[in-house]
Amino acid sequence: MRNRIALHAEQRKTIITSLAFSLISFFLMLILILSVNKDAIRLNSLLLSDYDYSVTMQDTVQKDDYYQFNAGIEFTLSANANTSLNADIVMQSKDSLYTDMVSWNAEPLGTNGVAVSENVAKSNNLHIGDKLYSKHIVNGESCEYVIEQLLPEAVGIMATNGMDHSDGIIIMGYDERYIENITHSSILFTKDPINELSAIGSLENIVYRDDEIMLSLRSIIPYLVVLSIVSIVTSVAFTILLTKSVSSNFRRLIILGFDRKQLNKAYYRLVRGTGIISIIASFAFSGIVFLFVNYNAVKLLILLLIPFIEIITLLIASNISNKRLWRK
């Protein structure tokens, strides 16, 4: 059995190069997921839903619809807090059926019960059974509301003019005092034909789910493109630096007549092996990001993009660099 060929790369330079590559890769993944977090939440929520469009009506249709009020309802973490939670707030209708057509739908709530999306709960350390506070608009009294359910992540009821202004959703249980005294409308999530709904009442603000999905993708893609380019440049630079560190010894071994296949194996073992270990390490450390944001399938796919591009670039760049070594 032949002995492995060692290219004798300078250990200190190899370690520094690998650590620098790992750190850059880690920060690229961190920047990417934090930059697109809100759009990734919205995209995941839309993909898990099954309605065709949302629409605002004056009347309830008793299925997957919520009341929206023309008065500012706010929730706070304590009765005397000055800062309210930044969330879209809707109220369940009295007898509506809530299905899995909307990913963040809640089961029926009590009058003083609320459901809070998971991202709002995590950022404010809220759990089922905790209390939120809101000044009742009808009588001005400060009321306690108990968190009865935690909903899947969602950043808002829908995007407005391409922007999400809220950080999540709070759903209130039905309260007839609001319905009887405050101007309101209903927002419906449905697959029903528009002409059938228009026979019930006038329709406003029709927003198709497919359009919202495309809107989310258009927001995410520029970050993906820019950070992918940076990851490609970084991977190429890593390959060039490691190649330079062994190029003199590699050429010396060529002159001494060492087997081409064995030399190539030694080169790829150094460059690709070191690079892939660095990429895996940076991906493992990037799990830290989920201490700050919740996990979902879309975020994981986005996070995997950087190491995937780096590995592909590493394979291509190392192949090109290896051929150049033989030509010199």
Side-chain angles (χ1 to χ4, degrees), residues 268-292:
Y268 290 135
R269 190 165 56 245
L270 172 68
V271 177
R272 292 178 177 176
T274 305
I276 289 173
I277 289 172
S278 299
I279 292 168
I280 292 173
S282 63
F283 179 73
F285 282 118
S286 70
I288 293 171
V289 73
F290 292 117
L291 296 175
F292 306 99

mmCIF file with all atom_site columns, all heavy atoms in Angstrom, residues 268-292:
data_model
loop_
_atom_site.group_PDB
_atom_site.id
_atom_site.type_symbol
_atom_site.label_atom_id
_atom_site.label_alt_id
_atom_site.label_comp_id
_atom_site.label_asym_id
_atom_site.label_entity_id
_atom_site.label_seq_id
_atom_site.pdbx_PDB_ins_code
_atom_site.Cartn_x
_atom_site.Cartn_y
_atom_site.Cartn_z
_atom_site.occupancy
_atom_site.B_iso_or_equiv
_atom_site.pdbx_formal_charge
_atom_site.auth_seq_id
_atom_site.auth_comp_id
_atom_site.auth_asym_id
_atom_site.auth_atom_id
_atom_site.pdbx_PDB_model_num
ATOM 1   N N   . TYR A 1 268 ? -6.475  17.693 -3.072 1.00 0.00 ? 268 TYR A N   1
ATOM 2   C CA  . TYR A 1 268 ? -7.904  17.788 -2.775 1.00 0.00 ? 268 TYR A CA  1
ATOM 3   C C   . TYR A 1 268 ? -8.196  17.496 -1.298 1.00 0.00 ? 268 TYR A C   1
ATOM 4   O O   . TYR A 1 268 ? -9.098  18.085 -0.715 1.00 0.00 ? 268 TYR A O   1
ATOM 5   C CB  . TYR A 1 268 ? -8.690  16.822 -3.661 1.00 0.00 ? 268 TYR A CB  1
ATOM 6   C CG  . TYR A 1 268 ? -8.731  17.231 -5.117 1.00 0.00 ? 268 TYR A CG  1
ATOM 7   C CD1 . TYR A 1 268 ? -8.514  16.297 -6.125 1.00 0.00 ? 268 TYR A CD1 1
ATOM 8   C CD2 . TYR A 1 268 ? -8.982  18.555 -5.481 1.00 0.00 ? 268 TYR A CD2 1
ATOM 9   C CE1 . TYR A 1 268 ? -8.552  16.674 -7.463 1.00 0.00 ? 268 TYR A CE1 1
ATOM 10  C CE2 . TYR A 1 268 ? -9.013  18.939 -6.812 1.00 0.00 ? 268 TYR A CE2 1
ATOM 11  C CZ  . TYR A 1 268 ? -8.794  17.989 -7.799 1.00 0.00 ? 268 TYR A CZ  1
ATOM 12  O OH  . TYR A 1 268 ? -8.827  18.370 -9.117 1.00 0.00 ? 268 TYR A OH  1
ATOM 13  N N   . ARG A 1 269 ? -7.414  16.589 -0.736 1.00 0.00 ? 269 ARG A N   1
ATOM 14  C CA  . ARG A 1 269 ? -7.586  16.289 0.687  1.00 0.00 ? 269 ARG A CA  1
ATOM 15  C C   . ARG A 1 269 ? -7.330  17.523 1.542  1.00 0.00 ? 269 ARG A C   1
ATOM 16  O O   . ARG A 1 269 ? -8.051  17.792 2.510  1.00 0.00 ? 269 ARG A O   1
ATOM 17  C CB  . ARG A 1 269 ? -6.649  15.150 1.086  1.00 0.00 ? 269 ARG A CB  1
ATOM 18  C CG  . ARG A 1 269 ? -6.902  14.595 2.475  1.00 0.00 ? 269 ARG A CG  1
ATOM 19  C CD  . ARG A 1 269 ? -6.217  13.253 2.675  1.00 0.00 ? 269 ARG A CD  1
ATOM 20  N NE  . ARG A 1 269 ? -4.793  13.313 2.431  1.00 0.00 ? 269 ARG A NE  1
ATOM 21  C CZ  . ARG A 1 269 ? -4.165  12.671 1.446  1.00 0.00 ? 269 ARG A CZ  1
ATOM 22  N NH1 . ARG A 1 269 ? -4.875  11.917 0.606  1.00 0.00 ? 269 ARG A NH1 1
ATOM 23  N NH2 . ARG A 1 269 ? -2.867  12.767 1.275  1.00 0.00 ? 269 ARG A NH2 1
ATOM 24  N N   . LEU A 1 270 ? -6.327  18.276 1.150  1.00 0.00 ? 270 LEU A N   1
ATOM 25  C CA  . LEU A 1 270 ? -5.993  19.489 1.904  1.00 0.00 ? 270 LEU A CA  1
ATOM 26  C C   . LEU A 1 270 ? -7.041  20.577 1.669  1.00 0.00 ? 270 LEU A C   1
ATOM 27  O O   . LEU A 1 270 ? -7.639  21.087 2.625  1.00 0.00 ? 270 LEU A O   1
ATOM 28  C CB  . LEU A 1 270 ? -4.615  20.012 1.496  1.00 0.00 ? 270 LEU A CB  1
ATOM 29  C CG  . LEU A 1 270 ? -4.233  21.390 2.066  1.00 0.00 ? 270 LEU A CG  1
ATOM 30  C CD1 . LEU A 1 270 ? -4.026  21.313 3.571  1.00 0.00 ? 270 LEU A CD1 1
ATOM 31  C CD2 . LEU A 1 270 ? -3.001  21.952 1.364  1.00 0.00 ? 270 LEU A CD2 1
ATOM 32  N N   . VAL A 1 271 ? -7.251  20.927 0.394  1.00 0.00 ? 271 VAL A N   1
ATOM 33  C CA  . VAL A 1 271 ? -8.103  22.084 0.075  1.00 0.00 ? 271 VAL A CA  1
ATOM 34  C C   . VAL A 1 271 ? -9.588  21.772 0.326  1.00 0.00 ? 271 VAL A C   1
ATOM 35  O O   . VAL A 1 271 ? -10.272 22.495 1.055  1.00 0.00 ? 271 VAL A O   1
ATOM 36  C CB  . VAL A 1 271 ? -7.889  22.534 -1.381 1.00 0.00 ? 271 VAL A CB  1
ATOM 37  C CG1 . VAL A 1 271 ? -8.834  23.687 -1.732 1.00 0.00 ? 271 VAL A CG1 1
ATOM 38  C CG2 . VAL A 1 271 ? -6.444  22.966 -1.597 1.00 0.00 ? 271 VAL A CG2 1
ATOM 39  N N   . ARG A 1 272 ? -10.075 20.702 -0.255 1.00 0.00 ? 272 ARG A N   1
ATOM 40  C CA  . ARG A 1 272 ? -11.494 20.384 -0.113 1.00 0.00 ? 272 ARG A CA  1
ATOM 41  C C   . ARG A 1 272 ? -11.814 19.908 1.300  1.00 0.00 ? 272 ARG A C   1
ATOM 42  O O   . ARG A 1 272 ? -12.835 20.287 1.878  1.00 0.00 ? 272 ARG A O   1
ATOM 43  C CB  . ARG A 1 272 ? -11.907 19.332 -1.130 1.00 0.00 ? 272 ARG A CB  1
ATOM 44  C CG  . ARG A 1 272 ? -11.881 19.847 -2.565 1.00 0.00 ? 272 ARG A CG  1
ATOM 45  C CD  . ARG A 1 272 ? -12.247 18.760 -3.553 1.00 0.00 ? 272 ARG A CD  1
ATOM 46  N NE  . ARG A 1 272 ? -12.298 19.283 -4.918 1.00 0.00 ? 272 ARG A NE  1
ATOM 47  C CZ  . ARG A 1 272 ? -12.521 18.534 -6.008 1.00 0.00 ? 272 ARG A CZ  1
ATOM 48  N NH1 . ARG A 1 272 ? -12.734 17.228 -5.865 1.00 0.00 ? 272 ARG A NH1 1
ATOM 49  N NH2 . ARG A 1 272 ? -12.551 19.083 -7.203 1.00 0.00 ? 272 ARG A NH2 1
ATOM 50  N N   . GLY A 1 273 ? -10.948 19.061 1.839  1.00 0.00 ? 273 GLY A N   1
ATOM 51  C CA  . GLY A 1 273 ? -11.190 18.550 3.188  1.00 0.00 ? 273 GLY A CA  1
ATOM 52  C C   . GLY A 1 273 ? -11.221 19.656 4.217  1.00 0.00 ? 273 GLY A C   1
ATOM 53  O O   . GLY A 1 273 ? -12.149 19.752 5.033  1.00 0.00 ? 273 GLY A O   1
ATOM 54  N N   . THR A 1 274 ? -10.218 20.553 4.155  1.00 0.00 ? 274 THR A N   1
ATOM 55  C CA  . THR A 1 274 ? -10.160 21.673 5.099  1.00 0.00 ? 274 THR A CA  1
ATOM 56  C C   . THR A 1 274 ? -11.347 22.614 4.904  1.00 0.00 ? 274 THR A C   1
ATOM 57  O O   . THR A 1 274 ? -11.957 23.077 5.864  1.00 0.00 ? 274 THR A O   1
ATOM 58  C CB  . THR A 1 274 ? -8.846  22.451 4.930  1.00 0.00 ? 274 THR A CB  1
ATOM 59  O OG1 . THR A 1 274 ? -7.746  21.550 5.064  1.00 0.00 ? 274 THR A OG1 1
ATOM 60  C CG2 . THR A 1 274 ? -8.728  23.558 5.961  1.00 0.00 ? 274 THR A CG2 1
ATOM 61  N N   . GLY A 1 275 ? -11.680 22.872 3.627  1.00 0.00 ? 275 GLY A N   1
ATOM 62  C CA  . GLY A 1 275 ? -12.787 23.789 3.329  1.00 0.00 ? 275 GLY A CA  1
ATOM 63  C C   . GLY A 1 275 ? -14.124 23.258 3.794  1.00 0.00 ? 275 GLY A C   1
ATOM 64  O O   . GLY A 1 275 ? -14.915 23.986 4.404  1.00 0.00 ? 275 GLY A O   1
ATOM 65  N N   . ILE A 1 276 ? -14.388 21.980 3.528  1.00 0.00 ? 276 ILE A N   1
ATOM 66  C CA  . ILE A 1 276 ? -15.681 21.394 3.912  1.00 0.00 ? 276 ILE A CA  1
ATOM 67  C C   . ILE A 1 276 ? -15.817 21.337 5.430  1.00 0.00 ? 276 ILE A C   1
ATOM 68  O O   . ILE A 1 276 ? -16.894 21.605 5.984  1.00 0.00 ? 276 ILE A O   1
ATOM 69  C CB  . ILE A 1 276 ? -15.849 20.001 3.277  1.00 0.00 ? 276 ILE A CB  1
ATOM 70  C CG1 . ILE A 1 276 ? -16.057 20.158 1.765  1.00 0.00 ? 276 ILE A CG1 1
ATOM 71  C CG2 . ILE A 1 276 ? -17.019 19.257 3.901  1.00 0.00 ? 276 ILE A CG2 1
ATOM 72  C CD1 . ILE A 1 276 ? -16.065 18.861 0.993  1.00 0.00 ? 276 ILE A CD1 1
ATOM 73  N N   . ILE A 1 277 ? -14.718 21.010 6.124  1.00 0.00 ? 277 ILE A N   1
ATOM 74  C CA  . ILE A 1 277 ? -14.763 21.014 7.594  1.00 0.00 ? 277 ILE A CA  1
ATOM 75  C C   . ILE A 1 277 ? -15.080 22.416 8.108  1.00 0.00 ? 277 ILE A C   1
ATOM 76  O O   . ILE A 1 277 ? -15.881 22.592 9.034  1.00 0.00 ? 277 ILE A O   1
ATOM 77  C CB  . ILE A 1 277 ? -13.421 20.513 8.177  1.00 0.00 ? 277 ILE A CB  1
ATOM 78  C CG1 . ILE A 1 277 ? -13.276 19.006 7.929  1.00 0.00 ? 277 ILE A CG1 1
ATOM 79  C CG2 . ILE A 1 277 ? -13.341 20.806 9.681  1.00 0.00 ? 277 ILE A CG2 1
ATOM 80  C CD1 . ILE A 1 277 ? -11.918 18.456 8.280  1.00 0.00 ? 277 ILE A CD1 1
ATOM 81  N N   . SER A 1 278 ? -14.482 23.433 7.499  1.00 0.00 ? 278 SER A N   1
ATOM 82  C CA  . SER A 1 278 ? -14.741 24.828 7.899  1.00 0.00 ? 278 SER A CA  1
ATOM 83  C C   . SER A 1 278 ? -16.197 25.208 7.655  1.00 0.00 ? 278 SER A C   1
ATOM 84  O O   . SER A 1 278 ? -16.828 25.876 8.481  1.00 0.00 ? 278 SER A O   1
ATOM 85  C CB  . SER A 1 278 ? -13.817 25.779 7.128  1.00 0.00 ? 278 SER A CB  1
ATOM 86  O OG  . SER A 1 278 ? -12.463 25.512 7.407  1.00 0.00 ? 278 SER A OG  1
ATOM 87  N N   . ILE A 1 279 ? -16.735 24.769 6.521  1.00 0.00 ? 279 ILE A N   1
ATOM 88  C CA  . ILE A 1 279 ? -18.125 25.090 6.173  1.00 0.00 ? 279 ILE A CA  1
ATOM 89  C C   . ILE A 1 279 ? -19.096 24.409 7.142  1.00 0.00 ? 279 ILE A C   1
ATOM 90  O O   . ILE A 1 279 ? -20.057 25.024 7.621  1.00 0.00 ? 279 ILE A O   1
ATOM 91  C CB  . ILE A 1 279 ? -18.427 24.680 4.722  1.00 0.00 ? 279 ILE A CB  1
ATOM 92  C CG1 . ILE A 1 279 ? -17.636 25.566 3.754  1.00 0.00 ? 279 ILE A CG1 1
ATOM 93  C CG2 . ILE A 1 279 ? -19.922 24.792 4.425  1.00 0.00 ? 279 ILE A CG2 1
ATOM 94  C CD1 . ILE A 1 279 ? -17.628 25.059 2.325  1.00 0.00 ? 279 ILE A CD1 1
ATOM 95  N N   . ILE A 1 280 ? -18.841 23.136 7.433  1.00 0.00 ? 280 ILE A N   1
ATOM 96  C CA  . ILE A 1 280 ? -19.701 22.397 8.367  1.00 0.00 ? 280 ILE A CA  1
ATOM 97  C C   . ILE A 1 280 ? -19.667 23.038 9.754  1.00 0.00 ? 280 ILE A C   1
ATOM 98  O O   . ILE A 1 280 ? -20.698 23.180 10.424 1.00 0.00 ? 280 ILE A O   1
ATOM 99  C CB  . ILE A 1 280 ? -19.273 20.920 8.436  1.00 0.00 ? 280 ILE A CB  1
ATOM 100 C CG1 . ILE A 1 280 ? -19.578 20.223 7.107  1.00 0.00 ? 280 ILE A CG1 1
ATOM 101 C CG2 . ILE A 1 280 ? -19.982 20.203 9.590  1.00 0.00 ? 280 ILE A CG2 1
ATOM 102 C CD1 . ILE A 1 280 ? -19.048 18.817 7.002  1.00 0.00 ? 280 ILE A CD1 1
ATOM 103 N N   . ALA A 1 281 ? -18.466 23.450 10.170 1.00 0.00 ? 281 ALA A N   1
ATOM 104 C CA  . ALA A 1 281 ? -18.335 24.092 11.486 1.00 0.00 ? 281 ALA A CA  1
ATOM 105 C C   . ALA A 1 281 ? -19.111 25.399 11.541 1.00 0.00 ? 281 ALA A C   1
ATOM 106 O O   . ALA A 1 281 ? -19.811 25.681 12.524 1.00 0.00 ? 281 ALA A O   1
ATOM 107 C CB  . ALA A 1 281 ? -16.863 24.342 11.795 1.00 0.00 ? 281 ALA A CB  1
ATOM 108 N N   . SER A 1 282 ? -19.012 26.189 10.483 1.00 0.00 ? 282 SER A N   1
ATOM 109 C CA  . SER A 1 282 ? -19.725 27.483 10.470 1.00 0.00 ? 282 SER A CA  1
ATOM 110 C C   . SER A 1 282 ? -21.233 27.270 10.443 1.00 0.00 ? 282 SER A C   1
ATOM 111 O O   . SER A 1 282 ? -21.987 28.005 11.075 1.00 0.00 ? 282 SER A O   1
ATOM 112 C CB  . SER A 1 282 ? -19.283 28.322 9.268  1.00 0.00 ? 282 SER A CB  1
ATOM 113 O OG  . SER A 1 282 ? -19.619 27.684 8.046  1.00 0.00 ? 282 SER A OG  1
ATOM 114 N N   . PHE A 1 283 ? -21.687 26.228 9.721  1.00 0.00 ? 283 PHE A N   1
ATOM 115 C CA  . PHE A 1 283 ? -23.123 25.939 9.682  1.00 0.00 ? 283 PHE A CA  1
ATOM 116 C C   . PHE A 1 283 ? -23.617 25.501 11.057 1.00 0.00 ? 283 PHE A C   1
ATOM 117 O O   . PHE A 1 283 ? -24.705 25.892 11.500 1.00 0.00 ? 283 PHE A O   1
ATOM 118 C CB  . PHE A 1 283 ? -23.422 24.867 8.641  1.00 0.00 ? 283 PHE A CB  1
ATOM 119 C CG  . PHE A 1 283 ? -24.872 24.496 8.562  1.00 0.00 ? 283 PHE A CG  1
ATOM 120 C CD1 . PHE A 1 283 ? -25.788 25.357 7.985  1.00 0.00 ? 283 PHE A CD1 1
ATOM 121 C CD2 . PHE A 1 283 ? -25.323 23.293 9.082  1.00 0.00 ? 283 PHE A CD2 1
ATOM 122 C CE1 . PHE A 1 283 ? -27.132 25.030 7.910  1.00 0.00 ? 283 PHE A CE1 1
ATOM 123 C CE2 . PHE A 1 283 ? -26.669 22.954 9.016  1.00 0.00 ? 283 PHE A CE2 1
ATOM 124 C CZ  . PHE A 1 283 ? -27.576 23.823 8.431  1.00 0.00 ? 283 PHE A CZ  1
ATOM 125 N N   . ALA A 1 284 ? -22.814 24.677 11.723 1.00 0.00 ? 284 ALA A N   1
ATOM 126 C CA  . ALA A 1 284 ? -23.191 24.220 13.066 1.00 0.00 ? 284 ALA A CA  1
ATOM 127 C C   . ALA A 1 284 ? -23.304 25.393 14.030 1.00 0.00 ? 284 ALA A C   1
ATOM 128 O O   . ALA A 1 284 ? -24.260 25.495 14.799 1.00 0.00 ? 284 ALA A O   1
ATOM 129 C CB  . ALA A 1 284 ? -22.166 23.212 13.578 1.00 0.00 ? 284 ALA A CB  1
ATOM 130 N N   . PHE A 1 285 ? -22.338 26.319 13.956 1.00 0.00 ? 285 PHE A N   1
ATOM 131 C CA  . PHE A 1 285 ? -22.384 27.483 14.838 1.00 0.00 ? 285 PHE A CA  1
ATOM 132 C C   . PHE A 1 285 ? -23.526 28.426 14.477 1.00 0.00 ? 285 PHE A C   1
ATOM 133 O O   . PHE A 1 285 ? -24.024 29.161 15.335 1.00 0.00 ? 285 PHE A O   1
ATOM 134 C CB  . PHE A 1 285 ? -21.059 28.244 14.794 1.00 0.00 ? 285 PHE A CB  1
ATOM 135 C CG  . PHE A 1 285 ? -19.972 27.611 15.612 1.00 0.00 ? 285 PHE A CG  1
ATOM 136 C CD1 . PHE A 1 285 ? -18.807 27.156 15.020 1.00 0.00 ? 285 PHE A CD1 1
ATOM 137 C CD2 . PHE A 1 285 ? -20.111 27.450 16.989 1.00 0.00 ? 285 PHE A CD2 1
ATOM 138 C CE1 . PHE A 1 285 ? -17.798 26.560 15.770 1.00 0.00 ? 285 PHE A CE1 1
ATOM 139 C CE2 . PHE A 1 285 ? -19.123 26.859 17.745 1.00 0.00 ? 285 PHE A CE2 1
ATOM 140 C CZ  . PHE A 1 285 ? -17.956 26.412 17.134 1.00 0.00 ? 285 PHE A CZ  1
ATOM 141 N N   . SER A 1 286 ? -23.941 28.401 13.212 1.00 0.00 ? 286 SER A N   1
ATOM 142 C CA  . SER A 1 286 ? -25.032 29.297 12.798 1.00 0.00 ? 286 SER A CA  1
ATOM 143 C C   . SER A 1 286 ? -26.347 28.940 13.477 1.00 0.00 ? 286 SER A C   1
ATOM 144 O O   . SER A 1 286 ? -27.291 29.725 13.453 1.00 0.00 ? 286 SER A O   1
ATOM 145 C CB  . SER A 1 286 ? -25.216 29.252 11.275 1.00 0.00 ? 286 SER A CB  1
ATOM 146 O OG  . SER A 1 286 ? -25.749 28.003 10.865 1.00 0.00 ? 286 SER A OG  1
ATOM 147 N N   . GLY A 1 287 ? -26.415 27.738 14.082 1.00 0.00 ? 287 GLY A N   1
ATOM 148 C CA  . GLY A 1 287 ? -27.600 27.378 14.848 1.00 0.00 ? 287 GLY A CA  1
ATOM 149 C C   . GLY A 1 287 ? -27.882 28.341 15.977 1.00 0.00 ? 287 GLY A C   1
ATOM 150 O O   . GLY A 1 287 ? -28.996 28.404 16.504 1.00 0.00 ? 287 GLY A O   1
ATOM 151 N N   . ILE A 1 288 ? -26.856 29.136 16.336 1.00 0.00 ? 288 ILE A N   1
ATOM 152 C CA  . ILE A 1 288 ? -27.034 30.170 17.365 1.00 0.00 ? 288 ILE A CA  1
ATOM 153 C C   . ILE A 1 288 ? -28.157 31.132 16.992 1.00 0.00 ? 288 ILE A C   1
ATOM 154 O O   . ILE A 1 288 ? -28.848 31.671 17.857 1.00 0.00 ? 288 ILE A O   1
ATOM 155 C CB  . ILE A 1 288 ? -25.714 30.939 17.580 1.00 0.00 ? 288 ILE A CB  1
ATOM 156 C CG1 . ILE A 1 288 ? -24.659 30.002 18.200 1.00 0.00 ? 288 ILE A CG1 1
ATOM 157 C CG2 . ILE A 1 288 ? -25.907 32.170 18.460 1.00 0.00 ? 288 ILE A CG2 1
ATOM 158 C CD1 . ILE A 1 288 ? -23.265 30.602 18.252 1.00 0.00 ? 288 ILE A CD1 1
ATOM 159 N N   . VAL A 1 289 ? -28.345 31.323 15.680 1.00 0.00 ? 289 VAL A N   1
ATOM 160 C CA  . VAL A 1 289 ? -29.353 32.287 15.239 1.00 0.00 ? 289 VAL A CA  1
ATOM 161 C C   . VAL A 1 289 ? -30.740 31.904 15.750 1.00 0.00 ? 289 VAL A C   1
ATOM 162 O O   . VAL A 1 289 ? -31.591 32.763 15.996 1.00 0.00 ? 289 VAL A O   1
ATOM 163 C CB  . VAL A 1 289 ? -29.352 32.400 13.695 1.00 0.00 ? 289 VAL A CB  1
ATOM 164 C CG1 . VAL A 1 289 ? -29.970 31.168 13.049 1.00 0.00 ? 289 VAL A CG1 1
ATOM 165 C CG2 . VAL A 1 289 ? -30.098 33.642 13.233 1.00 0.00 ? 289 VAL A CG2 1
ATOM 166 N N   . PHE A 1 290 ? -30.978 30.606 15.959 1.00 0.00 ? 290 PHE A N   1
ATOM 167 C CA  . PHE A 1 290 ? -32.307 30.180 16.384 1.00 0.00 ? 290 PHE A CA  1
ATOM 168 C C   . PHE A 1 290 ? -32.542 30.397 17.876 1.00 0.00 ? 290 PHE A C   1
ATOM 169 O O   . PHE A 1 290 ? -33.596 30.061 18.399 1.00 0.00 ? 290 PHE A O   1
ATOM 170 C CB  . PHE A 1 290 ? -32.535 28.726 15.986 1.00 0.00 ? 290 PHE A CB  1
ATOM 171 C CG  . PHE A 1 290 ? -32.627 28.542 14.490 1.00 0.00 ? 290 PHE A CG  1
ATOM 172 C CD1 . PHE A 1 290 ? -31.692 27.784 13.818 1.00 0.00 ? 290 PHE A CD1 1
ATOM 173 C CD2 . PHE A 1 290 ? -33.622 29.168 13.761 1.00 0.00 ? 290 PHE A CD2 1
ATOM 174 C CE1 . PHE A 1 290 ? -31.757 27.633 12.443 1.00 0.00 ? 290 PHE A CE1 1
ATOM 175 C CE2 . PHE A 1 290 ? -33.699 29.029 12.395 1.00 0.00 ? 290 PHE A CE2 1
ATOM 176 C CZ  . PHE A 1 290 ? -32.769 28.262 11.718 1.00 0.00 ? 290 PHE A CZ  1
ATOM 177 N N   . LEU A 1 291 ? -31.527 30.966 18.553 1.00 0.00 ? 291 LEU A N   1
ATOM 178 C CA  . LEU A 1 291 ? -31.765 31.462 19.900 1.00 0.00 ? 291 LEU A CA  1
ATOM 179 C C   . LEU A 1 291 ? -32.536 32.774 19.850 1.00 0.00 ? 291 LEU A C   1
ATOM 180 O O   . LEU A 1 291 ? -33.175 33.182 20.816 1.00 0.00 ? 291 LEU A O   1
ATOM 181 C CB  . LEU A 1 291 ? -30.437 31.674 20.642 1.00 0.00 ? 291 LEU A CB  1
ATOM 182 C CG  . LEU A 1 291 ? -29.588 30.424 20.912 1.00 0.00 ? 291 LEU A CG  1
ATOM 183 C CD1 . LEU A 1 291 ? -28.263 30.834 21.543 1.00 0.00 ? 291 LEU A CD1 1
ATOM 184 C CD2 . LEU A 1 291 ? -30.326 29.446 21.804 1.00 0.00 ? 291 LEU A CD2 1
ATOM 185 N N   . PHE A 1 292 ? -32.457 33.451 18.694 1.00 0.00 ? 292 PHE A N   1
ATOM 186 C CA  . PHE A 1 292 ? -33.068 34.774 18.551 1.00 0.00 ? 292 PHE A CA  1
ATOM 187 C C   . PHE A 1 292 ? -34.306 34.746 17.662 1.00 0.00 ? 292 PHE A C   1
ATOM 188 O O   . PHE A 1 292 ? -35.184 35.591 17.792 1.00 0.00 ? 292 PHE A O   1
ATOM 189 C CB  . PHE A 1 292 ? -32.048 35.764 17.971 1.00 0.00 ? 292 PHE A CB  1
ATOM 190 C CG  . PHE A 1 292 ? -30.765 35.819 18.748 1.00 0.00 ? 292 PHE A CG  1
ATOM 191 C CD1 . PHE A 1 292 ? -29.644 35.124 18.313 1.00 0.00 ? 292 PHE A CD1 1
ATOM 192 C CD2 . PHE A 1 292 ? -30.686 36.538 19.926 1.00 0.00 ? 292 PHE A CD2 1
ATOM 193 C CE1 . PHE A 1 292 ? -28.458 35.166 19.043 1.00 0.00 ? 292 PHE A CE1 1
ATOM 194 C CE2 . PHE A 1 292 ? -29.503 36.580 20.661 1.00 0.00 ? 292 PHE A CE2 1
ATOM 195 C CZ  . PHE A 1 292 ? -28.384 35.888 20.218 1.00 0.00 ? 292 PHE A CZ  1
#
